[in-house]
Amino acid sequence: MASVAGSTIERRRIIIQGIVQGVGFRPFVYGQALHWGLVGFVLNDSSGVTIEVEGSVEALDSFQRAVYEETPPLARIDSVVTELLSPCHDTAFIIAHSQAGAERQALISPDTVTCDDCLRELFDPQDRRYRYPFINCTNCGPRFTIVQDVPYDRDKTTMRVFPMCADCQEEYDNPLHRRFHAQPNACPVCGPHVSLTTWSSSNAADASEYSDPITTAAHYLAQGTILAVKGLGGYHLACDALNGEAVQRLRQRKHREIKPFALMVPDLQTAQQLCYVNDAEAALLQSRHRPIVLLARRPDCAMPPGVAPVYNTLGIMLPYTPLHYLLLRDFIAAIGADRPAVLVMTSGNLSDEPIAYRDADARQRLAPIAEGMLTHNRDIHMRCDDTVMRSIVGAGQFFRRSRGYAPEPIPLSLDLSVPLLACGGHLKNTFCLGKGRQAFVSHHIGDLENMETLTSFREGIEHFQRIFDIYPEVVAYDLHPEYLATKYALDSDIPCKIGVQHHHAHIASVLAEHGLKGPVIGLAADGTGYGTDGAIWGCELMVADLLGFERLAHLRYVPLPGGEQAVHQPWRMAAVYLAQAYGDTFLDLDIPFVRQLDKAKWRTLTQMVARNLNSPLTSSLGRLFDAVAALIGLRKDVLYEGQAAIELEVLASEEEYPLDKATAVYRRGDGSASALVASRSTSGENQMALDVAPVIRAIVEDIQQGVPSSRIAARFHCSIAELLALACFEAHKQSGLKVVALSGGVFQNRLLLEQLMRSLEEMAFQVYINRRVPPNDGGLSLGQLAVAAAHSQT
């Protein structure tokens, strides 16, 4: 410390960790230093950003306040360490070259929507980047998908092959420019370019009419062509969403028989023409993350049925790259102003495969589906699907957390004593790496059912380990012995391996993201999870903390005849639940389901169950929803797991809510609902078995009396919500706890979740749900990591 002309001079070293690289943080610091008349330097290193700054104490204090409180829009400060140094008497403040440190702790920003400043330039005919589809700056553009290593500098991204022209270099070198050290900075002179290739253009206009490949592509789309379009994290398959024939052609070629397609519209106003959009949904749509948002479809929405068969929602996103903005602008010009501009933008893959992102692979895999390819020569280093969300109970809920959010870490309340890896589950897989107080949940990997997705899983883990310098000493995995993620963990050379029960991990994910230590009452409900007794669990009430759980109740076990086949053929579960409720006499019931039942097939299944052949016991709530969907004639077979349950929710939502309380819930003959949780498990453990036989019998009575299917579906939802609420109350009486954590894929059912939360809150419970990760198996890895962290500390 020194004194000059009555002022005290200090030099401070400030080390800042968080998302502070590639987001304009250094020029921001530089500008603040100039403003306050300070000297020193700022640089990127593998810890984040290091500042050494010198000047009067008053100016230094003002500088530090500004750095903390006025950060650039994409920056996030997680920690700050300050120490005093001896003054060096520098003469200026500079931005020094990045340094690689011994420990790499820098965070990489997610890919981000094009900012307003870049959009203005994109559509300004006087700007040198007019209609340049790769315009970006430090406040927007690609990050995660182009980064190959850290520190985040151009030579460690896929932009390294594009040397900047003199004009771009001048912007890049100017600390006061918006593009100072914007690593993807480029222009038409020196940067990447778009190209259009077609191999089946019989329905399209002559490409020679248009000099711009994006304009040409827009006209092709307007005339019914299917195009593969390269985006930030991979290829989309695109077509005109209002062209029913093109939509159906895409559906057939992609082998996506019934799952809905995602849509892209140019602006919020177009989304509001198609769907109801509340303020929270509008905020999600327009956020810098740009997720696909699930929205309630308007009754007069003119969308062809092939876009989202059966569903009463549409998945809509707004454009997030300059190429998207240009393509939609040109598409509007091609179709005219008489109708909404809506493009199907579905993942560029065949069903069950990972999204294509390498150009040669995309050309080979997508050629049988698309009729042309709008591509470019900026490589994607890491594939990354679109994020899918919806707004529920006043905030966002993830269905899939990926582009725009990954790899931003989730802060933890516990300090990890060793670096960890959690491998996630089998379906909707993500993995999670953790160190310090941060959990890095990966982008969406997908269902680990083929070699391509398993390769994506392995490559993703290696990439995260490298860019975040996390080399795990502990690995957590699901108990199911046949999951590929489990086999990966058990085959790894990581010394410490910790198995985590599936539903415990679901509840732990809620605890981890909300910073709760527990114990809590945990209610995990889904389709499949390997239980500690070898059964297939799926409706589990427990008292849990991160170290362990005690199972208090579960849905009464029923056989799963044929194992996985029962998932694909819900009629099997309907027959099982009828047999549980009525015994063999259910075959005498005069209802459509029994009349149409193949009695020979059922006899074979009963023999399998009696001999315990491929008929594991299950407490799955997902399978109960499947059973009711089949029982009321909605769907006997499904094409994907959860389809029947989703359609049952859609049917139930046709009713007006709230239902009449006197008739909303199926009850026992004595009018009691609480008796539904009274029977005890026969396993010798102190567990309640939730008995739904009365619900099944009441549904049969409604069918016999001609009650509309939508009414039956609605009453079933209300009954299950009350059953679960009463079970939680029973758990409270046993444990004294008043905090409930809900997780599992069944809680993607909006109708069930909202009714259950309302009932629990009326009982004075404090209710927590997943907000930072999906409640489905996409959030499982976070819970596994939290459990393993708790055990590693003991």
Side-chain angles (χ1 to χ4, degrees):
M1 187 180 299
S3 179
V4 178
S7 297
T8 301
I9 300 299
E10 283 186 2
R11 186 177 185 90
R12 300 176 187 175
R13 177 181 290 141
I14 306 168
I15 299 173
I16 300 178
Q17 294 183 357
I19 299 178
V20 289
Q21 293 193 14
V23 293
F25 198 82
R26 285 177 299 168
F28 161 71
V29 168
Y30 177 87
Q32 291 296 329
L34 294 187
H35 177 76
W36 295 105
L38 303 173
V39 296
F41 64 85
V42 59
L43 58 81
N44 279 350
D45 59 25
S46 291
S47 293
V49 165
T50 294
I51 306 166
E52 286 195 16
V53 63
E54 185 174 323
S56 71
V57 172
E58 295 81 4
L60 287 170
D61 290 344
S62 298
F63 167 81
Q64 285 194 245
R65 275 195 300 272
V67 167
Y68 305 156
E69 297 172 3
E70 302 173 21
T71 54
L74 301 187
R76 191 188 87 188
I77 295 176
D78 289 340
S79 68
V80 179
V81 176
T82 303
E83 62 176 311
L84 282 177
L85 305 174
S86 299
C88 294
H89 307 295
D90 297 327
T91 58
F93 192 91
I94 64 169
I95 297 177
H97 291 294
S98 298
Q99 296 180 356
E103 189 172 6
R104 298 144 61 96
Q105 297 176 1
L107 301 184
I108 304 300
S109 168
D111 304 286
T112 306
V113 64
T114 307
C115 71
D116 291 342
D117 289 331
C118 285
L119 279 179
R120 279 192 291 272
E121 294 170 349
L122 181 67
F123 291 111
D124 179 1
Q126 305 305 313
D127 194 276
R128 73 186 188 94
R129 291 186 177 85
Y130 174 60
R131 288 187 59 88
Y132 183 57
F134 304 97
I135 190 170
N136 67 87
C137 69
T138 54
N139 296 326
C140 69
R143 297 289 191 278
F144 170 62
T145 53
I146 65 169
V147 169
Q148 296 167 312
D149 205 348
V150 292
Y152 175 64
D153 283 322
R154 192 181 183 95
D155 64 351
K156 293 180 173 63
T157 75
T158 60
M159 285 297 294
R160 70 188 186 284
V161 298
F162 298 102
M164 283 180 282
C165 66
D167 288 338
C168 286
Q169 190 70 50
E170 182 180 354
E171 296 168 337
Y172 184 89
D173 293 335
N174 181 355
L176 299 180
H177 198 281
R178 196 175 90 247
R179 293 190 171 90
F180 176 74
H181 282 214
Q183 306 307 337
N185 188 32
C187 75
V189 173
C190 62
H193 285 85
V194 169
S195 61
L196 176 67
T197 303
T198 59
W199 46 84
S200 176
S201 56
S202 59
N203 297 326
D206 183 356
S208 63
E209 292 183 34
Y210 313 104
S211 59
D212 185 328
I214 297 176
T215 304
T216 307
H219 281 78
Y220 280 3
L221 290 168
Q223 297 185 30
T225 301
I226 299 170
L227 293 179
V229 179
K230 189 175 182 180
L232 276 179
Y235 278 82
H236 286 110
L237 289 164
C239 72
D240 178 2
L242 297 186
N243 184 325
E245 188 276 331
V247 169
Q248 200 57 38
R249 200 165 72 250
L250 173 57
R251 190 169 286 286
Q252 291 169 351
R253 292 178 183 176
K254 186 175 161 70
H255 304 305
R256 191 179 178 96
E257 289 88 347
I258 200 159
K259 284 186 178 180
F261 285 141
L263 303 175
M264 182 176 283
V265 299
D267 48 41
L268 179 62
Q269 291 70 33
T270 306
Q272 290 168 331
Q273 291 179 39
L274 305 174
C275 297
Y276 298 106
V277 185
N278 62 33
D279 290 345
E281 291 164 340
L284 279 177
L285 279 170
Q286 297 178 102
S287 72
R288 63 182 174 88
H289 308 289
R290 282 297 199 270
I292 298 168
V293 181
L294 302 181
L295 302 169
R297 186 198 306 229
R298 289 185 177 274
D300 58 351
C301 175
M303 200 60 57
V307 168
V310 181
Y311 284 66
N312 56 3
T313 57
L314 295 175
I316 292 180
M317 60 181 156
L318 300 186
Y320 55 86
T321 71
L323 189 151
H324 292 151
Y325 281 102
L326 292 168
L327 185 63
L328 280 162
R329 174 76 64 98
D330 292 347
F331 183 66
I332 292 170
I335 63 173
D338 297 336
R339 43 151 288 195
V342 190
L343 292 176
V344 167
M345 280 283 192
T346 187
S347 298
N349 55 6
L350 284 170
S351 290
D352 300 326
E353 290 182 354
I355 187 172
Y357 73 108
R358 293 189 177 108
D359 298 330
D361 177 60
R363 177 66 172 85
Q364 180 180 6
R365 286 168 55 196
L366 303 183
I369 307 173
E371 292 141 6
M373 177 180 287
L374 182 64
T375 188
H376 57 75
N377 58 341
R378 184 182 70 200
D379 286 345
I380 298 168
H381 183 69
M382 184 55 53
R383 64 161 59 92
C384 197
D385 276 282
D386 292 314
T387 290
V388 182
M389 299 186 73
R390 69 162 171 206
S391 176
I392 187 166
V393 198
Q397 180 191 50
F398 287 100
F399 276 44
R400 182 170 75 199
R401 181 184 182 272
S402 203
R403 191 262 312 147
Y405 291 90
E408 187 170 331
I410 294 170
L412 300 174
S413 61
L414 70 164
D415 206 342
L416 306 185
S417 57
V418 293
L420 296 106
L421 166 66
C423 292
H426 185 67
L427 301 177
K428 304 175 180 66
N429 177 270
T430 64
F431 60 84
C432 182
L433 282 159
K435 71 174 180 179
R437 286 179 170 261
Q438 295 177 323
F440 296 87
V441 179
S442 77
H443 51 299
H444 171 76
I445 302 297
D447 298 349
L448 294 181
E449 295 188 330
N450 52 56
M451 184 53 66
E452 293 85 358
T453 311
L454 181 60
T455 300
S456 178
F457 170 78
R458 288 171 171 158
E459 290 175 349
I461 291 174
E462 292 170 2
H463 185 58
F464 270 59
Q465 287 178 338
R466 183 171 60 254
I467 65 173
F468 297 122
D469 193 41
I470 301 175
Y471 293 92
E473 298 173 22
V474 177
V475 61
Y477 59 91
D478 191 273
L479 295 180
H480 198 300
E482 295 304 315
Y483 282 2
L484 294 182
T486 297
K487 292 181 177 181
Y488 173 90
L490 295 177
D491 291 342
S492 74
D493 57 3
I494 299 171
C496 181
K497 299 174 171 65
I498 297 176
V500 183
Q501 198 281 322
H502 189 94
H503 300 94
H504 183 209
H506 272 308
I507 300 306
S509 72
V510 179
L511 300 181
E513 65 170 89
H514 290 283
L516 303 174
K517 293 182 179 179
V520 301
I521 296 170
L523 180 56
D526 58 7
T528 299
Y530 194 79
T532 56
D533 59 358
I536 305 300
W537 292 7
C539 183
E540 310 306 315
L541 187 70
M542 63 184 73
V543 168
D545 57 20
L546 295 180
L547 281 172
F549 70 98
E550 179 188 358
R551 192 186 193 200
L552 299 183
H554 58 84
L555 202 62
R556 182 179 168 188
Y557 280 145
V558 294
L560 192 69
E564 189 69 19
Q565 276 298 103
V567 177
H568 301 295
Q569 297 178 354
W571 69 264
R572 298 184 182 213
M573 296 309 301
V576 163
Y577 270 102
L578 285 173
Q580 184 193 64
Y582 292 94
D584 291 341
T585 61
F586 92 84
L587 293 170
D588 299 327
L589 292 172
D590 186 19
I591 57 174
F593 175 83
V594 174
R595 290 196 296 268
Q596 296 164 15
L597 181 66
D598 187 323
K599 306 300 192 297
K601 283 185 178 179
W602 174 243
R603 279 193 300 272
T604 301
L605 291 181
T606 57
Q607 292 169 3
M608 288 176 58
V609 170
R611 296 172 184 170
N612 198 25
L613 295 176
N614 194 24
S615 299
L617 295 177
T618 184
S619 57
S620 167
L621 187 55
R623 300 291 78 80
L624 175 61
F625 273 77
D626 288 352
V628 173
L631 180 57
I632 65 175
L634 192 59
R635 184 164 291 278
K636 294 181 179 179
D637 302 275
V638 297
L639 297 168
Y640 61 92
E641 202 266 349
Q643 179 186 352
I646 291 168
E647 294 181 10
L648 187 67
E649 180 191 1
V650 171
L651 182 64
S653 65
E654 295 177 6
E655 293 292 306
E656 291 291 330
Y657 290 86
L659 299 180
D660 177 15
K661 286 188 176 182
T663 59
V665 177
Y666 291 124
R667 300 179 184 273
R668 291 178 180 266
D670 61 3
S672 168
S674 60
L676 293 178
V677 298
S679 57
R680 296 251 164 207
S681 170
T682 58
S683 64
E685 298 177 354
N686 188 30
Q687 298 170 1
M688 293 180 290
L690 310 185
D691 181 13
V692 295
V695 174
I696 297 298
R697 287 192 287 267
I699 288 173
V700 168
E701 290 175 11
D702 271 0
I703 294 171
Q704 291 171 330
Q705 293 171 14
V707 175
S709 294
S710 61
R711 184 74 177 180
I712 297 173
R715 293 186 71 188
F716 171 71
H717 276 78
C718 292
S719 301
I720 296 303
E722 178 158 314
L723 169 66
L724 297 177
L726 291 171
C728 288
F729 189 74
E730 290 291 324
H732 159 68
K733 289 196 292 186
Q734 288 187 42
S735 66
L737 299 171
K738 292 290 283 187
V739 178
V740 175
L742 306 175
S743 189
V746 166
F747 292 122
Q748 291 182 159
N749 183 316
R750 176 196 290 270
L751 202 55
L752 178 67
L753 179 60
E754 289 181 339
Q755 290 185 63
L756 176 57
M757 289 184 69
R758 187 161 51 247
S759 295
L760 290 172
E761 287 165 356
E762 287 172 357
M763 294 176 177
F765 282 104
Q766 190 172 2
V767 184
Y768 291 91
I769 63 174
N770 291 110
R771 292 296 192 186
R772 292 177 178 236
V773 295
N776 60 37
D777 286 5
L780 207 63
S781 60
L782 177 63
Q784 292 173 345
L785 183 103
V787 172
H791 279 276
S792 66
Q793 290 182 338
T794 60

